[in-house]
Amino acid sequence: MRDKRDHLFAKSRIITTEFRFDEQVVKVFPDMISRSVPGYELVIPMIAMLARRYAQDDSNIYDLGCSLGAASLAMSHSVKAQGAEVIAVDNSEAMVKRCRQGLEDNCGPTGVKVRLENLLDTSVENASVVVLNFTLQFLDPGQRQELVNRISTGMRTGGALILSEKICFTTPREQEDQVMWHHDFKRTQGYSDLEIAQKRNALEAVLIPDTEQQHLERFSRAGLTRSRRWFQCFNFVSYISFR
Ligand code: GEK
């Protein structure tokens, strides 16, 4: 199946329905995410590089909220640890179906198992690397600490959690600037003002960003250390934190 260009929010909608990871989104997903998330194209190979460094022999590597498996695929090629396996999890049936198809012919030497599952039900065990690449932001804020606690408990000593997120800022001026720059980025990617506004409305109730302080404090409460922001492009960031 060829990747299609994302025009999902191009026509004026009278009623904005909540954003869902359904068949329509899956069809345009690679185009949508690379034109909407500044730095996404860089973050994927860097996650693969970090995973290569921190993956341990005979351990599990989790990609929670894997979508079409971009990070899993990249890690399957980069990870050299013996007996390591990537476990890719997503609760969207449409995503998982297409993810499995994509991995069939392209998977690298490290195997990938794809699970259709709510990541809140995933038991994380024997993990040397856990990736949450722009996924935590879609979970109910009340469930985020418990999830990170569980991940931390399931990690091996020296294991790495890589968390990429859209964040928000406490200073109104910075929040305004960062959002403006993100929207400028989307304009350079060919999105119209109408598309930007409608997508923003559709995401409002489902993508709830945290501040950097909330992320760092959450890591710390979960017993993770050496938490660092290793990537930022406007309001999109990625952190690494260790067990
Ligand atoms: C990438 N990581 O390309 N359980 C499982 N999956 C979930 C849950 C949940 N509770 N909630 C949301 N998802 C990917 C990109 S996209 C980010 C991640 C975006 C899944 C959801 O179905 C979707 O596939 C993914 O999290 C978020 O590296 O679209 O901005």
Side-chain angles (χ1 to χ4, degrees):
M1 202 195 304
R2 268 186 49 235
D3 291 334
K4 291 213 196 116
R5 192 154 169 95
D6 167 27
H7 294 298
L8 293 184
F9 292 89
K11 282 195 190 138
S12 182
R13 297 173 174 207
I14 297 163
I15 303 164
T16 316
T17 46
E18 218 171 65
F19 186 85
R20 290 177 54 228
F21 292 99
D22 56 15
E23 194 75 50
Q24 269 193 320
V25 167
V26 167
K27 280 187 187 150
V28 299
F29 188 74
D31 180 72
M32 171 186 274
I33 197 156
S34 62
R35 291 201 293 133
S36 304
V37 175
Y40 177 79
E41 303 280 354
L42 174 68
V43 165
I44 293 291
M46 293 304 108
I47 286 176
M49 188 199 77
L50 291 166
R52 180 188 178 119
R53 169 148 303 275
Y54 296 107
Q56 300 177 20
D57 288 351
D58 303 311
S59 70
N60 294 324
I61 296 166
Y62 290 87
D63 180 9
L64 303 176
C66 61
S67 298
L68 300 184
S72 291
L73 183 65
M75 292 191 289
S76 81
H77 285 278
S78 70
V79 166
K80 296 291 172 255
Q82 296 299 307
E85 181 177 57
V86 178
I87 298 168
V89 177
D90 206 289
N91 68 349
S92 154
E93 217 172 321
M95 283 287 185
V96 163
K97 193 172 162 212
R98 178 106 192 259
C99 178
R100 286 190 176 129
Q101 288 167 356
L103 283 165
E104 240 164 50
D105 301 325
N106 302 310
C107 191
T110 299
V112 181
K113 269 206 190 114
V114 186
R115 290 192 197 158
L116 174 61
E117 185 173 273
N118 186 335
L119 64 88
L120 294 170
D121 299 330
T122 300
S123 70
V124 177
E125 48 203 29
N126 190 29
S128 59
V129 177
V130 180
V131 174
L132 280 161
N133 199 35
F134 303 110
T135 302
L136 191 71
Q137 59 198 17
F138 289 105
L139 300 186
D140 176 344
Q143 298 181 308
R144 296 178 187 179
Q145 182 70 57
E146 204 188 314
L147 173 68
V148 177
N149 291 351
R150 259 193 329 103
I151 290 173
S152 173
T153 306
M155 280 164 71
R156 284 198 188 176
T157 304
L161 168 62
I162 301 167
L163 173 75
S164 311
E165 287 276 289
K166 180 180 191 177
I167 59 165
C168 60
F169 301 84
T170 44
T171 321
R173 185 58 203 256
E174 175 156 30
Q175 176 65 15
E176 235 172 77
D177 286 343
Q178 298 278 7
V179 170
M180 177 174 71
W181 298 331
H182 176 220
H183 290 174
D184 283 346
F185 166 79
K186 292 188 78 165
R187 281 182 200 101
T188 68
Q189 298 299 306
Y191 283 117
S192 68
D193 289 346
L194 179 67
E195 283 175 294
I196 294 171
Q198 294 195 140
K199 173 93 179 276
R200 193 184 190 183
N201 287 342
L203 279 175
E204 199 152 47
V206 287
L207 192 170
I208 300 161
D210 288 323
T211 61
E212 175 154 289
Q213 196 183 348
Q214 284 175 304
H215 286 299
L216 297 179
E217 286 178 1
R218 188 177 294 128
F219 288 146
S220 170
R221 277 195 293 268
L224 297 168
T225 57
R226 288 155 53 219
S227 303
R228 282 167 210 152
R229 177 177 6 103
W230 63 268
F231 168 85
Q232 177 162 14
C233 187
F234 311 132
N235 42 354
F236 291 80
V237 301
S238 192
Y239 303 102
I240 190 163
S241 192
F242 295 90
R243 179 73 194 182

